Amino acid sequence: MALDDTKRDFKVIGQRVVRPDGIDKVTGKAQYGADLILPGMLWGAVVRSPHAHAKILKIDASEALKLDGVEAVVTRADFVEQKGDNFADNLDNIMAGKKALYDGHAVAAVAATSQRLANKAAKLVKVEYEILPHVTEVDEAMKADAPVLHEGRKYTGAPAGSGPNVTHYQDYGHGDLDAGFAKADMVIERSFKSEGVHQGYIEPHACVANYNTDGRGETWVCTQGPFMIRDFTAAFNGFNISQVRVTPSEIGGGFGGKAHIFIEPVAAALSKKTGRPVKMAMTRSEVLRATGPTISGHIDVKIGMKKDGTITAGYLGMRAQGGAYPSGTVDMATQAAFAAYDLENVKSEGWNVVTNRPKEAAYRAPGAPLGVWGVESVLDELCQELNLDPMEVRIKNAAKKGTKSSYGPTFDDMGLLTALEAAKAHPHWNAPLDGPNKGRGLSCGFWFNFGGATSVSLQINSDGTASVTEGNPDIGGSRASISMMAAETLGLPFEKVRTIVADTNSIGFNQETNGSRVTFAVGLATIKAAEAAIKVMCGRAAKIWGIDEEAVDWVDGAAVPSGPNAGDFPPMTLAEIAKVAVQTGGPIAGHHEVTADGAGVSFGVHIADVEVDPETGKTTVLRYTAFQDAGKAIHPDYVEGQMQGGAVQGIGWALNEEYIYGADGRLQNDGFLDYRIPVASDLPMIDAVILEIPNPGHPYGVRGVGETGIVPPLAAIGNAVSRATGVRMTKLPMSPPTVLKAIS
Amino acid sequence: MSKLHVTTTINGDSREFLCEPEDTLLDALRNTLGLTGAKEGCATGDCGACSVTVNGRLVCSCLMLAAEAEGQEIDTIEGMADHDKLHPLQKHFLEGAALQCGICTPGFLVAAKALLDKNPDPTETEIRYHLAGNLCRCTGYDKIIRAVQNAAAEMRGA
Ligand code: FES
Ligand code: FES
């Protein structure tokens, strides 16, 4: 695809316009998942296992059903059994079959005339369990004699001789590790351990399902993937996909965690059974016990370096748990780990194991923060030991265009060196850090970025405006950036374009809003749809002028005659063409459907200054600066917002957040009081520096920016704390007790 | 069980509603009165998404019983704009891109207004501590703090 457009002077792109959904969101009008109430609506509640691992012997709902106003109960028997691991595992996760596999696993659900009654009824559903031994820790679960989650299941990805819970192994790399380590002046080897962390979106999962016994109906839901919700809801309930219409509500955060199904097919089943709309909304405790978290585990890193800072070899091995069902996220952790460096000898490998924890869900750059944390920590320690400048060492070894990446592909244009040079020149890096107990940390970060299946349609309206219809829920301002790209392409001002996120019947298939794909892929499809409409408009002008269609160009929002006809007619604006569209051949629209490729890799660099209180072990972040290549920032405010939000999630991961399981296998901290995400008073301003190295795979050079920001903070903070205390930190989170233990 | 009858003032209008004794003010606002601007993020007083003011005092409506609203003046996000005129805080949240998903925004706006009503010229630290009961997972707080600073400056006529 031609990249010449990225050099042009943009009129709309790069402006900081006010987002179109903004007023609804500052006045309380915006409708989120739990905000819809339908006439005759029932309320659902889920019965969840209090045990980490138990056989379900019997479910008796008779007492619950005796209550006046309790209308239905569903269990696994109400769903259609699935073939294929993805569908079968997802069904088992949203409604347990023979066994409950974690604390919080759904085993039944009820619908009643009020939420309180539904909750009361759920408590009256008697479930007889046979409690089984459980395992929540990675290394325990890997053992040959560990409690087995899925008896008899064969995992084709597991190496021969693995324990019964090992689901997966994969390795990446090139070169000769031994030869590389032999060339090093110093080799450091470290083992790291991380705990599980949750996406922590503020809006719990919520939906309203309204189905009839004939299998026709609708779901209103806060989700990153309305088409995914549609397909699973249809399959699990035996509906035909065409009869299931899913409308995405406004969404109160997702970060990957809402790219999965949980209560939605259950609400549909209850609705079908009662013939009435059913609302289901999770409590915060349910969100923490039964959705999300990311993978966690042990990371072993070994890196060799010469005295001049050249990395001679790098190894990373990760043993991860992804909850009760097989997960491939460890692959992304191991692929991303060394991506920032141009290495001759590199290997990374990962194992996944199932444990009695909730099924792992994607979390912003899934896996990457963990792998990168291990590598960047050991690099930093090598710099300390060899007395080298950590910035210069990163610049020296940085991957660039043409580098064969540690995970295989060869890189195209990319912004890592630009980001490193910007960081090196930034006042933050050059400011003195005076006083005891302070440290400055640096880390690079990487995310692949995805494209994926995308559909967009665009109509030209009779008043000279344009309407864009897309299918990817807008979590952080994407309707603004999509409108901006449409406006730029059509030559209209931003105010004359409106983008909506449509239901699943009103637009072609779209993959979930994930992988930092929306501004890239939906943007690309929007530009193509606008170009298709432009082609039609040029044709109409040609018809009116009586000249050849090819002899019309589109310039600044108007058709102009070109070539031999140049100057023969005055330009005809979009509004003028639109006004007579019906007479000149019919309505004017454009659409584009594509599996978008060429997302363009994303790199970032973060600098963190911290102070550690040696008496309490508490870490205070004093200053924080993030640098990231956006390719082309369509709306700079929302690019900065992604960088700042990602950085702060990473800071929370580094310092506070962790899943704590008791010996009984139950989650101990299932609320925001104990699962403590960063609050405003924990933080300084987060400076965001946007760099723009155009992505050759997008007409305007866009790269996704949503995920990379969470990758560097773990090591940036970890390196800062290690330098402040003089002790290398190897355990996350670096909460006060952990730091205190490490330094005393 | 018979319901309780509550008479209250919400956003300047007198309102009456029925509630169960254990209903929270948040339940009544959202499910009975159709005011869904206050959100439920936790129902345990930890996230601030349900923030409203009662007689000018900031409260988590998930922690207050609906029946306790009897005779009180409740203000919610729905009453913050003066008809078609946005409050300076709303305007600066929009212009400064202080929201991403927006689920926390009503709570932040109500909480920030409660601060500026008492302290028209807060320091950055005062703003950060005052808003520490409101969780935002999307923004990292940077643009929220700046929007509050800018709104405060505008309201002071600075
Ligand atoms: S819902 Fe009231 S504080 Fe979270
Ligand atoms: S904008 Fe999403 S939680 Fe604040």
Side-chain angles (χ1 to χ4, degrees), chain A residues 62-149:
Chain A
S62 53
E63 289 300 313
L65 284 164
K66 274 186 206 153
L67 287 183
D68 185 19
V70 174
E71 302 293 325
V73 174
V74 292
T75 64
R76 178 66 168 267
D78 292 278
F79 295 92
V80 178
E81 290 301 319
Q82 301 294 304
K83 292 197 182 67
D85 287 348
N86 180 28
F87 276 70
D89 285 346
N90 271 298
L91 174 60
D92 202 61
N93 186 44
I94 66 152
M95 193 56 74
K98 294 192 174 66
K99 290 206 298 185
L101 292 172
Y102 54 91
D103 166 39
H105 199 165
V107 295
V110 303
T113 49
S114 75
Q115 185 68 62
R116 182 161 302 111
L117 189 58
N119 295 348
K120 190 171 164 189
K123 288 205 186 89
L124 291 175
V125 174
K126 285 199 210 92
V127 185
E128 253 178 65
Y129 294 101
E130 178 191 328
I131 298 174
L132 301 169
H134 65 270
V135 59
T136 53
E137 293 305 314
V138 180
D139 283 353
E140 292 299 312
M142 286 186 94
K143 289 181 181 158
D145 59 352
V148 183
L149 271 84

Side-chain angles (χ1 to χ4, degrees), chain B residues 48-66:
Chain B
C50 63
S51 298
V52 300
T53 57
V54 179
N55 303 328
R57 193 167 150 239
L58 182 64
V59 303
C60 291
S61 62
C62 71
L63 294 184
M64 178 173 153
L65 291 172

Side-chain angles (χ1 to χ4, degrees), chain A residues 434-522:
Chain A
D434 297 326
N437 307 316
K438 291 183 183 165
R440 176 168 294 156
L442 175 69
S443 177
C444 297
F446 161 83
W447 182 242
F448 310 87
N449 283 345
F450 295 157
T454 308
S455 308
V456 170
S457 80
L458 177 151
Q459 28 172 331
I460 303 294
N461 304 313
S462 60
D463 64 350
T465 62
S467 304
V468 180
T469 307
E470 53 131 330
N472 276 97
D474 171 359
I475 314 188
S478 61
R479 271 165 295 192
S481 55
I482 299 308
S483 289
M484 291 169 84
M485 283 184 265
E488 187 76 47
T489 311
L490 293 168
L492 287 177
F494 170 72
E495 296 70 32
K496 293 205 169 176
V497 180
R498 178 169 182 191
T499 299
I500 65 148
V501 180
D503 65 81
T504 52
N505 272 49
S506 303
I507 184 73
F509 180 82
N510 282 274
Q511 266 173 248
E512 296 91 75
T513 294
N514 63 9
S516 299
R517 72 177 216 91
V518 173
T519 308
F520 165 75
V522 180

Side-chain angles (χ1 to χ4, degrees), chain A residues 19 22 26 32 34-35 116 198-200 251 253 284 363 475 637 640-641 644-645 649 657 678 680 683 686, chain B residues 22-23 30 39-41 77 90 94 97 99-103 109 128 132 135 137-143 146:
Chain A
R19 61 196 281 172
V26 298
Y32 291 83
D35 294 342
R116 182 161 302 111
H198 195 275
Q199 295 79 352
I251 174 171
R284 179 56 52 185
Y363 181 20
I475 314 188
D637 277 342
E640 291 164 6
Q644 292 163 334
Q649 282 188 318
E657 296 177 33
L683 296 159
I686 308 292
Chain B
E22 54 283 58
D23 279 350
R30 290 180 54 81
K39 305 299 180 191
E40 181 177 310
I77 185 63
Q90 294 173 308
L94 281 183
L99 50 142
Q100 284 178 35
C101 80
I103 195 84
L109 287 167
R128 285 187 181 278
L135 299 180
R137 192 58 156 172
C138 298
T139 64
Y141 304 101
D142 185 297
K143 291 185 194 300
R146 289 178 203 275

Side-chain angles (χ1 to χ4, degrees), chain A residues 196-269:
Chain A
V197 293
H198 195 275
Q199 295 79 352
Y201 31 82
I202 306 301
E203 180 199 33
H205 300 260
C207 66
V208 179
N210 191 6
Y211 286 80
N212 295 321
T213 42
D214 65 359
R216 282 198 179 82
E218 325 218 355
T219 299
W220 160 270
V221 56
C222 55
T223 179
Q224 293 173 244
F227 293 88
M228 175 272 305
I229 297 281
R230 177 192 68 175
D231 295 358
F232 281 117
T233 297
F236 294 178
N237 285 286
F239 301 154
N240 165 340
I241 284 181
S242 71
Q243 305 304 319
V244 176
R245 177 189 184 202
V246 176
T247 303
S249 68
E250 294 297 335
I251 174 171
F255 315 106
K258 287 183 186 155
H260 305 264
I261 45 155
F262 298 101
I263 48 178
E264 301 83 2
V266 180

Side-chain angles (χ1 to χ4, degrees), chain A residues 540-555:
Chain A
R540 300 295 171 84
K543 199 167 163 187
I544 291 166
W545 291 329
I547 64 174
D548 187 16
E549 198 177 315
E550 301 305 310
V552 180
D553 282 344
W554 191 258
V555 182

